[in-house]
Amino acid sequence: MTAITPEHGFRARLRRLAGGTAVLAIALGAYTVALPSTAIAAGGSSSDDEQSIGFHVSAGLRGLVAPGSATTAMITLQNDTDSKLSGGQVQVELSKTPLTDEASVTSWLDEGEAPGDFATIGSETTAPLEADTSATATVFVPADTLSDLTPGVYPLRAELTGAKTASATDDRATAVAAAATSVLVVADSQTTQVGVLVPVTATPEGGALLSSDELAALTAPDGALTAQLDGVAGTTAVLAIDPSILTAIRVLGSSAPRSAQDWLTRLEALPNARFALQFGDADATAQAQAGLPALLQPTTLAPFLDPANFPQAPASVSSTDGPSATPGPSPSPTNTPQLPDDQELTAVEGALPRILWPDDDLGPDDLSSFTRYLGEGTTTVVSSAALGGQSAAHATLGGNDLLVTDTGLSESLSDVAAEADPLDRQRLLAEAAALLLLAEDRVAGAPLLVGLDRDENRDADALRDAISAADSIGFELSALRATPPVPAALTSQADPARATAVNELLADEGTLTAFSSILTDPQVLLSPERIRILRTLAVGSSAKSFADGVEKHRKRTTETLAAVSIPPSSTIQLLTANADLPIAVRNDLPWPVTVQLFVSPTDPRLEVTPMTETVVEANSTKRVKVPVSARVGSGEVDLRLSLYSPTGVQIHGQQEIRVAVRAEWETIGLVIFGGLAVLLITLGVIRTVRRKRHEAAEEAEAEAELEKLDEVAAEAEVSTEDEVVVEAESDAPAPTTGDKTGDGRQIE
């Protein structure tokens, strides 16, 4: 494999500064926060405001100088107060009594305690510093100052004196004293090969696989997964990849976020060596100690696939023989999408096979189990703490191949990778540099291996600093595995709590498997459940967090088993001899379920249909109608209810409801209603007859009145006519001579 080495990394600077020098000195600084002393300038008074001054020291350009040559100590001051910081005097001191082990290095950096006397190796005056700003100063260290230092780790410190902060409102001034501790590492040019293992993991918030939204956030330019690739790019770090991340992207098909697809492409293009962690980074040690015959794997990933997100499979075309054969029509896509299988979804391209990185609480039998799980040639990554401090990177135990990470150095560089603040990171880098030298002395030229913690929130620059502080140019994991192993012995003790938890989780899974028979496709429940179990067993959790995770998972299982049930019911009133009793069945699952409701009475006075099968839709409650028949007029009867799956698995335990039978009320009600109906009909008939008679009488009376009126009118009309005739006769003139009579005769 060809590794790309960054030009700005630790090793690049080593090459540029050291060149062909045989002896190197590594000096990395520490960072402290200094509070002002109670000293007061003339004419001032004590200030109650707490001030903060950041003070950091390092020697050389990230600490590389050749013994006997001149170097420069870099001082960084950061004024986080609200006042201007005056100039002061910086004095850099060195103890020529080396720190010989990890404990003494930690004691010096954490507590400021170191053996031997300190001597001044340089001093410098600092310039005034405005509020909320930072500045650097350099202290020249003469060449002859380091000439008598032999390879080792030496305490280095710097002190700031004479600086004062001035109040913005009055003439008060407060004296400031600050100190910083560091180490100066003097070492021969590095010949030890050092590799760094970087786990790449990501845990979903609550689901089995990372969701589309989570992937979009993690693979965004400022996302955590993007930072991990940025941090390892250009280094020889070995990647330990959780396949569940790749699976989460692949199951989404064309609907996966563009940034996630690009991230996957970028990961596969990196030249770094890699191997696959177990799915979900599950702990193989706990599984081996639980006596499992094989490592747990996802049951199936098919429930996570949506056919709409995958291309249709092209139709196959049968070949035709003979040069004169007429070509057939071009193949057209079929209606069946081409879905990837589980192996394609979980594959880590270019991964080295048969490597496990489990928890350290293992024993010799566990190593044999790992070989049984993965086959001959299995390599297990363990920490030196599990081997009594043996730090050589390649070891063997009982014929089992081991890769050993140095515990102290791994923890120190893990702290570096987790520290986002560049100044705070310098102190951690100083400790890592010292521990690296001490580890190289212990292994006497044998390769070293660093295993960073499982950390899903690393800063890219911090991760790169951690890797560059240790990894060797051209480091190859395959070459390390080919080196002669050193014998080792396990000193770690098995943790029975983890093995017990595995068996408990699998027992719960067995209960869920039986429960899932109510589903059309049980894997929609069982596949995510298995992945959650794997994540619960993830490596790197403390005893407390592991116990909390197991408890949380078991609580979730209990809630799932209670998701399909018969809600409590009040007494049901049965007012007829034959009726359908409504029995509620609740389904809180996100899928439809098929259940069988069994009902049996506690008294033969009530006959019921013993079993009713029904489908309850997702997240709903359905009232199942159960036919019943009462044999007696009245009484109270208890019904025993229970739910079973179509395969006979009990889903809900026996529950009783009370039925108050009032069957005679039906007859009484019918009689009453019948009597009322007859009465109402009779009253209606009587009322109708009376109304008809009344209407007939009124009509006869009206007709008589009309006849009477007609007679009166007729008589009045005759009388009027007679009067008109008489009046006409009286008014007529007497006839004259010559007139004719009415019969035509002439009157004389």
Side-chain angles (χ1 to χ4, degrees), residues 619-637:
N619 298 311
S620 66
T621 298
K622 181 177 182 179
R623 294 193 176 276
V624 182
K625 295 182 178 180
V626 178
V628 298
S629 177
R631 293 182 177 180
V632 295
S634 63
E636 290 189 347
V637 180

Side-chain angles (χ1 to χ4, degrees), residues 165 171 560 601 604 620-621 664 707:
T165 57
D171 295 333
T560 301
S620 66
T621 298
E664 75 280 4
E707 290 177 357

Side-chain angles (χ1 to χ4, degrees), residues 500-660:
T500 301
V502 172
N503 290 322
E504 290 175 347
L505 293 172
L506 292 180
D508 290 346
E509 184 186 44
T511 305
L512 276 180
T513 300
F515 174 82
S516 67
S517 57
I518 61 178
L519 299 169
T520 303
D521 180 9
Q523 288 301 325
V524 298
L525 173 64
L526 299 180
S527 179
E529 167 66 14
R530 171 60 64 84
I531 297 175
R532 291 189 184 97
I533 290 177
L534 293 171
R535 293 197 184 280
T536 303
L537 300 177
V539 176
S541 57
S542 64
K544 183 180 184 305
S545 61
F546 178 79
D548 291 343
V550 172
E551 182 181 359
K552 180 180 179 181
H553 187 276
R554 300 199 71 189
K555 181 179 178 181
R556 182 189 182 100
T557 300
T558 301
E559 292 173 350
T560 301
L561 293 173
V564 179
S565 62
I566 302 172
S569 174
S570 58
T571 300
I572 299 176
Q573 300 291 334
L574 182 62
L575 304 179
T576 180
N578 298 285
D580 291 337
L581 290 183
I583 306 298
V585 178
R586 186 182 69 238
N587 174 25
D588 292 335
L589 294 176
W591 313 283
V593 299
T594 302
V595 293
Q596 294 176 344
L597 175 62
F598 283 82
V599 184
S600 61
T602 58
D603 193 294
R605 291 178 295 175
L606 195 65
E607 291 183 351
V608 300
T609 301
M611 190 275 287
T612 303
E613 184 169 299
T614 187
V615 176
V616 185
E617 295 301 322
N619 298 311
S620 66
T621 298
K622 181 177 182 179
R623 294 193 176 276
V624 182
K625 295 182 178 180
V626 178
V628 298
S629 177
R631 293 182 177 180
V632 295
S634 63
E636 290 189 347
V637 180
D638 289 336
L639 293 181
R640 291 187 291 262
L641 310 176
S642 57
L643 287 178
Y644 284 80
S645 74
T647 60
V649 177
Q650 188 174 44
I651 303 302
H652 184 82
Q654 192 174 95
Q655 179 175 319
E656 291 189 356
I657 62 171
R658 178 154 295 183
V659 178

